[in-house]
């Protein structure tokens, strides 16, 4: 069963990217900052008009990304750019695990813990669009360059969808763990 005909695409600005252990800073005007554990694909060579069958030839490896999102900005704006691209809203790393170490990226456990409590617990076999489909779709209209990172989507359990909603606050600590890749820890400031 598909939830969408095609992937929803947005970009994050380079000022969003931070490394492991660096603080995600909640913008002063946002009260609804949320987490999203995601497997990320790192492109290894220029890709244009790639077929799904060719897609893995363009993958360097995989890493972890937390697609932090200001839901109040995202939903108020009617598009996702500002809500997903705030400074520090793309913690990633700490490793790039090459494709020879992960033969099938669609069989990995993925979890997010907030202050030690598991909020997301799933598998990459639940991705709506797999790695080959994402690379093929994006490379139809966008030339992917070495070092580009594609986040693949998040499993259930995000904060805004919980009853009651759970949003990030100063002092919180997020941990995203993906089997075979490691754990990405990010405090909130």
């Amino acid at each position: 069963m598909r939830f969408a005909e095609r992937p929803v695409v947005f970009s994050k600005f380079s000022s969003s990217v931070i490394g492991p252990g660096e603080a995600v800073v909640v913008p002063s005007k946002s009260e609804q900052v949320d987490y999203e554990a995601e497997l990320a694909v790192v492109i290894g060579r220029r890709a244009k008009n790639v077929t799904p069958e060719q897609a893995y030839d363009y993958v360097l490896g995989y890493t972890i990304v937390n697609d932090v999102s200001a839901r109040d900005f995202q939903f108020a704006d009617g598009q996702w750019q500002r809500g997903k691209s705030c400074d520090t809203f793309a913690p990633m790393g700490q490793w790039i695990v090459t494709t020879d170490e992960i033969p099938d990226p669609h069989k990995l456990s993925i979890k997010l813990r907030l202050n030690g409590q598991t909020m997301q617990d799933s598998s990459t076999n639940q991705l709506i669009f797999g790695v080959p489909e994402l690379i093929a779709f994006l490379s139809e209209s966008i030339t992917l360059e070495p070092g580009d990172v594609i986040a693949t989507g998040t499993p259930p359990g995000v904060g805004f969808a919980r009853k009651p909603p759970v949003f990030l606050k100063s002092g919180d600590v997020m941990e995203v763990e993906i089997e075979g890749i490691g754990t990405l820890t990010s405090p909130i400031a």
Side-chain angles (χ1 to χ4, degrees), residues 12-179:
K12 287 197 179 234
F13 297 119
S14 59
S15 58
S16 301
V17 178
I18 58 173
E22 292 185 68
V24 170
V25 179
V26 174
S28 62
K29 303 276 187 199
S30 178
E31 297 178 358
Q32 297 179 351
V33 175
D34 203 351
Y35 52 82
E36 293 186 30
E38 300 194 23
L39 172 70
V41 180
V42 182
I43 297 298
R45 63 186 182 108
R46 182 177 277 199
K48 182 68 179 170
N49 295 317
V50 173
T51 67
E53 296 75 26
Q54 299 168 318
Y56 288 117
D57 294 340
Y58 295 84
V59 176
L60 172 68
Y62 306 95
T63 193
I64 299 170
V65 70
N66 188 341
D67 177 21
V68 179
S69 305
R71 302 297 187 190
D72 38 5
F73 295 176
Q74 178 184 350
F75 299 139
D77 291 356
Q79 51 79 29
W80 295 9
Q81 189 69 49
R82 182 172 70 117
K84 297 226 175 229
S85 291
C86 298
D87 291 347
T88 73
F89 271 27
M92 74 175 65
Q94 78 190 33
W95 320 108
I96 297 173
V97 180
T98 54
T99 56
D100 62 319
E101 298 286 327
I102 297 182
D104 186 349
H106 304 105
K107 293 183 178 179
L108 307 174
S109 166
I110 181 169
K111 296 179 167 98
L112 183 135
R113 291 180 295 275
L114 179 60
N115 302 322
Q117 180 181 353
T118 300
M119 306 299 277
Q120 294 181 284
D121 187 356
S122 190
S123 171
T124 55
N125 69 9
Q126 299 297 305
L127 289 171
I128 296 171
F129 297 97
V131 171
E133 293 171 287
L134 291 169
I135 292 172
F137 178 77
L138 290 168
S139 71
E140 286 175 1
S141 54
I142 300 165
T143 301
L144 300 173
E145 298 288 353
D148 283 350
V149 177
I150 301 169
T152 58
T154 197
V158 294
F160 88 93
R162 292 180 165 273
K163 306 264 188 272
V166 173
F167 295 113
L168 301 171
K169 61 191 180 312
S170 184
D172 286 346
V173 176
M174 300 176 290
E175 297 171 288
V176 180
E177 181 179 352
I178 301 180
E179 178 183 359

Side-chain angles (χ1 to χ4, degrees), residues 1-6 127-130 133:
M1 178 177 155
R2 284 264 191 232
F3 293 95
E5 286 184 33
R6 65 185 63 84
L127 289 171
I128 296 171
F129 297 97
E133 293 171 287

